[in-house]
Amino acid sequence: MKKIYTAVVEVALLFLALPGIAQTSRHVVVHAGHLLEVKTGKLLADQTLVIEDGRIVSRGTAAESKIPADAVRIDLPNATVLPGLIDAHTHLTMEPKFGYERLAVSVPREALIGAKNARLTLLAGFTTVRNVGASGYTDVALRDAINTGDVPGPRLLVSGPPLGITGGHCDNNMLPSEYHAVSDGVADGIAEVEHKVRENIKYGADLIKVCATGGVLSLGDNPQASQYTLEEMKAIVADAHRLGRKVAAHAHGAQGILWATEAGVDSIEHGSYIDDAGIAAMKEHGTYLVPTLYLGDWMLENAALTHLPAPLLAKAQDVIPAARNNIAHAFASGVKVAFGTDAAVYPHGLNAHEFAVMVKLGLTPLQAIQAATVNAADLLGWSGKVGSLEPGAWADIVGVDGDPGKDVTTLEHVKFVMKGGEVVKNEYAK
């Protein structure tokens, strides 16, 4: 019996010694030639980050830093590091497939697509993502798979199926009546929307996504038309907030933007036809605008390649120029901005192309970077955890050449990615 007990103990000790099953704290030290302090815009030289168990414990010059003897050292003398980037509007389980081609994609296939796109997004330097809309709770499954280490990917906050009205942007309007096709999130009336909010939360949603207006990439609806009534959206927000979830509202049209803001949503997604009334309401309520801008360039340039149906192309040609003008006005008016891309309208991994368009429309490079770090962290409710390189934050770090505070296009070429103290990508080591 004693021999059996001894053997079991030896096996247990061997198991604990395996990589990734640490018995003691794991220390990592990252030394960078420069560090961009995203809150102030200061470019700091010769910076050392000390990491313990995936979190930053100290930051300073090498002379100031107390480096543990057992630390794994990562030297990036030619890099500028900044916090891992945050994309507050993605659809990881979807691809650039428009019109009837989308009907051929099953829910299990969407889940596998999500695993691929999660990896591409992480390698592009986006270590945190808010996924706002997925069929069959595939984004919930993807989040859980990432969290348990089954697949690589960013930290995820997920919405599950987006709420929408019958026949609206978030419904399936492609099939004739005999198919009785209805999307997962369709709900009409106060009682139904309250039930749908609770159902999404039951099945794992971290937040609620609601379609307040029509959309571009959907048949039979008008992007400028409001969908849910003010009373329905108030019911959605009240239930979500009471249950500890934030609400993101897809909203192109001015009336829908205003109603969603008055209902208390936490963010307006797209905001294409935002006007002065909407801007004033958003500033009063502290509502974030999550513009999705680069998709317009990519979608129009690749309309033939993606077989974009003529009715959707016509809507895009109307909405995109209007959105550029109105978003520029919103930027100049001082609305709070968080970074989002709507990746899935274009290939995942190109998320950082959004920065240049934001700058073109009036933000400074630093403001665009803040939108993808401190601002997005605030919107997600994760300030102090992501979006900064301060003690207590998760050790999510990206590295680039040059100074992204002067040229945001450097963020399109991330060479180093760390998530939670683990190196995901390091081209500087080649």
Side-chain angles (χ1 to χ4, degrees), residues 279-330:
I279 289 169
M282 290 179 68
K283 292 176 71 175
E284 178 185 352
H285 288 265
T287 312
Y288 273 96
L289 174 63
V290 183
T292 54
L293 301 163
Y294 173 67
L295 65 84
D297 296 335
W298 192 93
M299 187 166 57
L300 293 180
E301 290 170 5
N302 293 276
L305 180 66
T306 59
H307 308 111
L308 187 64
L312 308 189
L313 177 59
K315 285 202 283 186
Q317 290 169 333
D318 287 339
V319 172
I320 291 167
R324 296 292 172 96
N325 291 332
N326 295 326
I327 296 298
H329 178 55

Side-chain angles (χ1 to χ4, degrees), residues 24-30 48-59 66 68 71-72 74 128 147 155 377 381-397 418-423:
T24 58
S25 297
R26 181 176 183 272
H27 295 102
V28 178
V29 172
V30 176
T48 296
L49 294 157
V50 179
I51 299 161
E52 181 178 349
D53 294 336
R55 289 185 182 268
I56 297 168
V57 295
S58 69
R59 189 189 84 193
K66 184 178 179 180
V72 174
I74 299 170
T128 300
N147 288 347
R155 305 179 191 280
W382 277 2
S383 293
K385 296 180 179 180
V386 298
S388 67
L389 298 180
E390 298 175 345
W394 285 314
D396 298 347
I397 304 167
M418 171 179 279
K419 177 192 167 191
E422 300 288 342
V423 176

Side-chain angles (χ1 to χ4, degrees), residues 67-82:
I67 299 175
D70 64 341
V72 174
R73 298 180 63 94
I74 299 170
D75 289 311
L76 306 171
N78 300 316
T80 298
V81 299
L82 63 157

Side-chain angles (χ1 to χ4, degrees), residues 203-251:
Y203 293 122
D206 300 305
L207 68 141
I208 299 298
K209 164 77 174 296
V210 55
C211 291
T213 75
V216 176
L217 297 177
S218 49
L219 293 173
D221 60 323
N222 181 352
Q224 295 197 58
S226 56
Q227 295 194 156
Y228 278 122
T229 65
L230 176 58
E231 290 72 23
E232 286 171 319
M233 283 194 285
K234 283 182 176 179
I236 291 168
V237 173
D239 251 21
H241 283 179
R242 188 178 67 256
L243 296 171
R245 269 59 170 192
K246 294 194 174 190
V247 181
H250 159 104

